[in-house]
């Protein structure tokens, strides 16, 4: 192999290492994705369908809800009204929607049937199912506007969808619902996706949006809790466009009704889905039901809380001993995660004098609060902090949690790999193992 092949190979291996914990975590997870009509008609659809097929083969249970707004707009020219995100569906609009729904479904089925060409998985078979999965009711007359054949979700036929997923089929749902009286209604893909995710108790609901939420300075907001998403869905002082606001409303409702994570992804970025699901940094905005608490820099007021958290772990040997005085001196290096005024997780980042390396230490979560991603959030934040400070590498010493770090991209190395200044203070009696990660 020549040098460029070597480095490509190294990058692939690094990517695979980073992705592997996520591959495991997502297996058997149910993911509902809302794909708007303009994405289906656009340039990124081939990549998206390819990636959905890949996710299916990795063991995710996939429900793909598709919209038709762009297709129907084009077919009807200016001949149709949309009020607050819903089309006023007259007879002609309904006819167009029904025929476009059939056409798009057939096209998607064909694309999904193509498997994964030019990959070692080409030829892997994928089955697609659809049907009368959404029970609708009329949206009715609102503020004097008769929405005619526009409907809203009355019920999602959860068992029928679950059966299809259990049979390892990808489920396709168009923006159409049927009433108990046999009428056909035009629904929005965003509403269908939210209701479907809720009915299935999905692990993930994904919306592809034209623009992601940003703060007042225009910086992408990587995380929002559902309460904030609710507020923003009706706010007038944000940069959010009308579609994003509606999606925020559905996202927060889905979270409040049991969907664990809602991801908003930039529909213009072909790799957004894989990068969101398989990389630490993700690519879009994550909305979760309860933002348990944010990770924040520690202050001297947290000293007692940190002591109470780490003392038992020091006593049992999971953490190296640090005196109160030492913690007080190092308090600016700590971040904490707090719950109801109590420090429930913490960690520290020590920058070394070489300016290139940092040590992560004292990573601890209170036993009652483990397994909810706190240490993960804290360590990610410290790694980002180290990177911002110009470090190329972080290392840490641990006696028991090595595997936790290995699953997050660290590799075990030896004491001799420690920077010289840290080697001098390495406590051989603890026999801690050394782990390192390139940033
Ligand atoms: C390791 C520790 C910080 C993880 O805290 P946490 O907030 O529960 O971590 P997260 O929620 O982000 O991750 C939990 C996952 O890590 C796994 N995990 C926990 N400890 C682990 C270990 N020692 N090795 C491998 N995996 C571990 C959990 O099983 C869980 O996996 P799951 O979601 O598949 O069930 C916590 O267990 C702790 O305080 N341990 C004692 C102190 C310690 O050893 N610190 C490291 C030395 S610096």
């Amino acid at each position: 192999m020549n040098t460029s092949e070597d480095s490509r190979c190294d990058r692939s291996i690094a990517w695979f290492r980073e992705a592997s914990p996520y591959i495991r975590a997502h297996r058997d997870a149910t993911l509902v994705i809302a794909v708007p009509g303009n994405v289906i008609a656009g340039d990124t659809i081939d990549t998206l369908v390819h990636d959905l097929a890949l996710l299916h083969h990795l063991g995710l249970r996939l429900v793909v809800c598709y919209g038709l707004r762009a297709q129907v707009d084009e077919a009807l020219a200016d001949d149709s009204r949309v009020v607050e995100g819903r089309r006023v569906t007259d007879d002609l609009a309904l006819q167009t929607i029904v025929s476009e729904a059939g056409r798009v479904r057939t096209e998607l089925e064909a694309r999904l049937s193509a498997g994964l060409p030019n990959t070692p998985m080409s030829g892997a078979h994928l089955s697609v199912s659809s049907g009368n999965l959404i029970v609708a009711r009329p949206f009715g007359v609102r503020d004097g506007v008769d929405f005619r054949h526009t409907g809203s979700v009355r019920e999602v036929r959860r068992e029928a969808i679950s059966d299809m997923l259990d049979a390892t089929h990808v489920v396709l749902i168009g923006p159409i619902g049927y009433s108990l009286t046999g009428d056909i209604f035009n629904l929005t893909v965003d509403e269908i996706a939210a209701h479907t995710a809720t009915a299935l108790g999905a692990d993930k609901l994904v919306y592809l949006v034209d623009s992601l939420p940003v703060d007042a300075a225009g910086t992408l907001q990587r995380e929002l809790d559902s309460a904030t998403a609710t507020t923003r869905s009706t706010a007038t002082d944000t940069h959010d466009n009308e579609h994003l606001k509606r999606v925020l409303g559905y996202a927060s409702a889905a979270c409040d009704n049991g969907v664990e994570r809602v991801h908003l992804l930039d529909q213009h970025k072909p790799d957004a889905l894989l990068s969101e699901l398989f990389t630490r940094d993700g690519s879009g905005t994550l909305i979760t039901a309860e933002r348990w608490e944010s990770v924040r820099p520690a202050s001297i007021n947290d000293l007692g809380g940190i002591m109470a958290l780490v003392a038992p772990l020091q006593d049992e040997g999971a953490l190296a001993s640090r005196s109160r005085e030492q913690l007080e001196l190092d308090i600016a290096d700590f971040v904490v995660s707090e719950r109801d005024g109590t420090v429930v997780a913490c960690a520290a980042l020590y920058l070394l004098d070489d300016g290139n390396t940092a040590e992560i230490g004292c990573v601890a979560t209170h036993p009652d609060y483990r397994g909810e991603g706190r240490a993960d959030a804290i360590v990610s934040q410290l790694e980002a902090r180290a990177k911002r400070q110009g470090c190329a590498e972080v290392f840490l010493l641990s006696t028991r949690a090595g595997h936790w770090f290995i699953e997050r991209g660290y590799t075990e190395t030896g004491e001799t790999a420690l920077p010289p200044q840290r080697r001098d203070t390495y406590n051989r009696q603890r026999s801690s193992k050394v782990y390192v990660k390139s940033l």
Side-chain angles (χ1 to χ4, degrees), residues 373-393:
R374 288 182 170 80
D376 204 31
I378 285 190
V379 168
S380 302
Q381 195 174 108
L382 291 183
E383 288 169 357
R385 190 196 272 192
K387 202 169 171 179
R388 275 199 307 277
Q389 306 274 346
C391 294
E393 197 171 82

Side-chain angles (χ1 to χ4, degrees), residues 101-263:
R103 184 182 65 78
V104 168
R105 193 193 71 222
T106 310
E107 274 179 27
L108 285 174
E109 284 171 355
R111 282 194 154 101
L112 285 163
S113 303
L116 299 168
N118 306 325
T119 77
M121 290 175 78
S122 72
H125 190 66
L126 186 158
S127 301
V128 183
S129 283
S130 46
N132 56 338
L133 301 172
I134 304 294
V135 182
R137 63 170 146 241
F139 193 63
V141 179
R142 310 255 175 146
D143 293 331
V145 179
D146 183 352
F147 282 81
R148 308 275 313 275
H149 303 291
T150 294
S152 63
V153 177
R154 175 169 177 179
E155 191 194 330
V156 174
R157 297 194 51 227
R158 185 179 59 81
E159 281 186 14
I161 299 175
S162 296
D163 288 348
M164 292 171 179
L165 293 173
D166 289 346
T168 70
H169 291 194
V170 171
V171 179
L172 272 187
I173 305 183
I176 284 181
Y178 307 90
S179 75
L180 298 177
T181 53
D183 292 306
I184 303 171
F185 287 97
N186 168 31
L187 278 67
T188 70
V189 60
D190 299 329
E191 183 188 358
I192 287 184
H195 282 268
T196 304
T198 303
L200 294 173
D203 302 277
K204 291 181 181 300
L205 167 61
V206 176
Y207 283 105
L208 303 176
V209 292
D210 190 36
S211 65
L212 291 166
V214 293
D215 63 18
T219 309
L220 170 65
Q221 291 190 285
R222 311 302 305 250
E223 274 189 47
L224 292 176
D225 59 277
S226 67
T228 310
T230 308
T231 311
R232 279 183 75 143
S233 67
T234 52
T236 49
D237 56 351
T238 64
H239 299 284
D240 304 338
N241 64 33
E242 289 306 312
H243 178 241
L244 178 57
K245 284 187 190 175
R246 280 192 295 277
V247 166
L248 285 169
Y250 286 123
S252 60
C255 281
D256 295 346
N257 287 307
V259 176
E260 274 187 28
R261 287 163 172 249
V262 182
H263 303 260

Side-chain angles (χ1 to χ4, degrees), residues 349-360 379 382-396 409-420 422-423 434-439:
L349 183 81
Y350 308 103
L351 297 171
L352 269 64
D353 293 340
D354 65 5
N356 191 41
T357 324
E359 176 175 357
I360 288 182
V379 168
L382 291 183
E383 288 169 357
R385 190 196 272 192
K387 202 169 171 179
R388 275 199 307 277
Q389 306 274 346
C391 294
E393 197 171 82
V394 280
F395 71 93
L396 61 98
Y410 287 76
T411 27
E412 187 179 337
T413 170
E415 177 201 330
T416 47
L418 286 173
R422 187 61 178 86
R423 226 174 296 152
V434 182
Y435 300 88
V436 65
K437 179 176 179 178
S438 301
L439 296 174

Side-chain angles (χ1 to χ4, degrees), residues 319 363-365 370-376 398 400-401 403-404 408:
L319 292 179
V363 184
T365 301
R370 287 185 188 164
E372 295 175 5
R374 288 182 170 80
D376 204 31
S398 178
R400 299 185 194 172
H403 276 252
W404 191 90
R408 283 151 184 85

